[in-house]
Amino acid sequence: MNAAIVTFLAYTAILIAIGIWSYRIVEKVPIAKYEKEFYAAGRGLGGIVVALIIAGGLASAGTFIAGPGMTYAYGYSWVLFNNFQIFMNLALLAPIGIIVGIVARRVNAVTYLDIFKARYQSKAIIILLAVLVTIFLIPYMSVQFVGSARVIAQMTDMGFFPSLALGSLVVLVYCVLGGMRGTSLAILIQGIVITVGCILLFIGTVNYAGGFKRSTEILAAQDINFLSPTMGGAFSPAFAFSIACITGLFVVGMPHAMLGALTYKNTRALKRGIWMGGILVLIWTLLLCMAGVIGRSIKPDLAVPDEIAPWLAMHVMPEALGGVVLAGIVAGIQTTVAAMAIIITSSIAKNLLRELKPDISSEKIKSASRWTMGGCLAIAIALALLQPPLIQWIIFFSIGGLQTATFGPILLGMFWKRGNQWGTIASITWGMITYALAKTIVPQIALWGTFESFVPTITSVIVYVVVSLATPNPSDKIIWTFWGPAMRTLKSNY
Amino acid sequence: MKFVEDPRIREGRKTLALAWLYFFIYLIVIMGSSYFLGIKPYLWGLPRWVAIGNIVVPIVFVIMLIFVVEKFIPDIPLTDDEEESEEKE
């Protein structure tokens, strides 16, 4: 057993211990407060944990595996594209964080769909979104397992299936046992491991390559387009702009990113979550992507570009440090899986079940939460056995689908009083149909070379506005709940 | 009863505007510097657009974000009941 494996196993043991410890905490919580504890960690998370939950949730295998993989394949152009995501915490928490924070406390919302339920008061929307969230997040979660299994397999030589088991079962333990409480404790450890791992990988790679100048000269000799911001015209500025919107502005619509907005303690935690998130995502993204492209000057003939980060970890630094880097990459993936598992479980076990069986007891919800989470993770692990070759495109497919369905209803729903359930249903339906067409038989919908979900997302916002204006206003109760004054103001005024 | 909007919602709208303005300025600067600075002369051994547009610009914007967020987003209570305000730590 080499030093890298020992380091990784130590990290895994810590996570399992966290899962068991947080299970004890959650089990002591009275049943009446169980949902708030399991899904929102008691709504008491500080800035650094909120920053990590959002950044770690959104930065997935797409950042930690495919990010360096894409820069390895397409040179510095994809460093630019990945840099668009640095302000994802700002793009999520600043636009809706305050209003979600206020409303969540007013209506005791602990899940993503609780906010939709309060805003649109529609059973159809809850069922529709619960189904869509499950459809898009399970494949997303599945490719995270694939990414982590590939990293572990490279490190240990023990094959894909045992690696898949090792990487996924630990998530199963701390998510199912500890819920959001376990996830938030684990993410603190994981955040440190990810950050240290990224810094080590970058330093080790630049050092091994003989510095920036030497690596740039080698890359120029291989293909001068590796040094171009458009990869020699392969990626237009319009495509770059659409990627900037998907990984920046549109993240408001990402359900697993909403976890941060539901769990932060106060506005000080919100502000810290925003700028700390910027620092963390900058370190993770920039260092890993730079390592990917510089790695091409060291090892130009990798058959699978996504394998560059683990390859570098195992070849350009001492074994023990390589183990830290690989643990960091796996940790980055696990944080995403954990956030997704919480969202899917809350959508099905809490919101969908409550819609279908309004009189269900809290005890049954508690039991359903754990069974649903275990079941969803098991399905994702089973799908991972198919071993899809191009995980980046599956990630983009899922992100595009989720944003197309939810960007308008979330953003406008928080700020525009006139928006209603009919606008939401029309917007989701329009978005899903146009996105499906753009991905299949009408690729021309992706105008000017933009990503396939860009035009459907923009047009679904227009549909939301038009249909809302053509249908009745939301009820006064909704308007007072979302935008009405605080009770103390009411008491003093009336 | 006449509807009166919660003043905290206005702060939420301002924060939305601030976030989007900041992100668009970042986008203009990073895309502008990436597409117009060119590859040569190399800076620190990297293509000029990479060194300035993709290392210096993101770092500067992340540092500026700390000041922008702390200065322009106010500390406001999230609960309606002052006695239960979570701002009191």
Side-chain angles (χ1 to χ4, degrees), chain A residues 43 76-77 79-81 83-84 86-87 90-91 94-95 98-99 101-102 105-106 212-213 216-217 220 224 227-230 235-237 240-241 244-245 248-249 252 264-268 270-272 274-275 278-279 282 286 290 294 407 411 415-417 479-480 482-488 490-491 493-494, chain B residues 1-9 11-20 22-24 26-27 30-31 34-36 38-40 42-47 49-50 53-63 65-67 69-83 85-89:
Chain A
R43 212 171 350 251
Y76 282 111
S77 58
V79 175
L80 167 65
F81 297 162
N83 272 342
F84 293 143
I86 286 169
F87 295 104
L90 172 78
I98 289 177
I99 189 161
I102 293 169
R105 284 158 178 80
R106 282 185 180 173
F212 289 139
K213 189 162 184 281
T216 304
E217 284 165 353
I224 191 68
L227 307 186
S228 154
T230 60
F235 303 112
S236 68
F241 179 73
C245 289
L249 291 183
V252 166
Y264 73 91
K265 185 178 182 183
N266 52 33
T267 42
R268 263 166 282 170
L270 172 114
K271 291 195 290 189
R272 286 175 196 152
I274 292 172
W275 60 256
I279 294 170
L282 170 73
L286 189 58
M290 291 292 288
I294 293 167
F407 176 69
L411 188 69
F415 290 100
W416 189 44
K417 298 182 189 73
I479 290 173
W480 280 86
F482 272 76
W483 300 283
M487 290 310 293
R488 59 173 179 274
L490 278 178
K491 280 174 201 164
N493 285 354
Y494 302 100
Chain B
M1 192 186 294
K2 191 176 173 239
F3 179 78
V4 184
E5 190 172 86
D6 189 328
R8 294 175 298 172
I9 302 299
E11 294 300 335
R13 286 202 178 89
K14 278 187 200 165
T15 311
L16 163 72
L18 175 77
W20 280 31
Y22 197 85
F23 187 77
F24 272 114
Y26 171 68
L27 218 52
I30 193 174
M31 288 182 81
S34 295
Y35 290 124
F36 295 114
I39 294 172
K40 285 191 170 176
Y42 293 158
L43 188 62
W44 310 320
L46 292 166
W49 70 271
V50 175
N54 285 267
I55 296 177
V56 174
V57 167
I59 290 172
V60 168
F61 268 80
V62 165
I63 292 168
L65 182 67
I66 300 170
F67 298 103
V69 166
E70 291 294 342
K71 183 164 175 60
F72 294 107
I73 301 180
D75 284 326
I76 53 175
L78 297 168
T79 48
D80 285 347
D81 191 342
E82 253 169 337
E83 287 75 38
S85 173
E86 292 162 24
E87 292 300 306
K88 294 172 184 172
E89 289 177 292

Side-chain angles (χ1 to χ4, degrees), chain A residues 441-462:
Chain A
I441 54 174
V442 195
Q444 297 85 346
I445 287 175
L447 291 174
W448 309 298
T450 54
F451 186 68
E452 292 100 334
S453 68
F454 182 73
V455 172
T457 304
I458 298 290
T459 52
S460 67
V461 171
I462 297 168

Side-chain angles (χ1 to χ4, degrees), chain A residues 195 198-199 278-288:
Chain A
T195 308
C198 290
I199 293 169
I279 294 170
L280 291 168
V281 182
L282 170 73
I283 293 170
W284 301 346
T285 304
L286 189 58
L287 298 188
L288 277 179

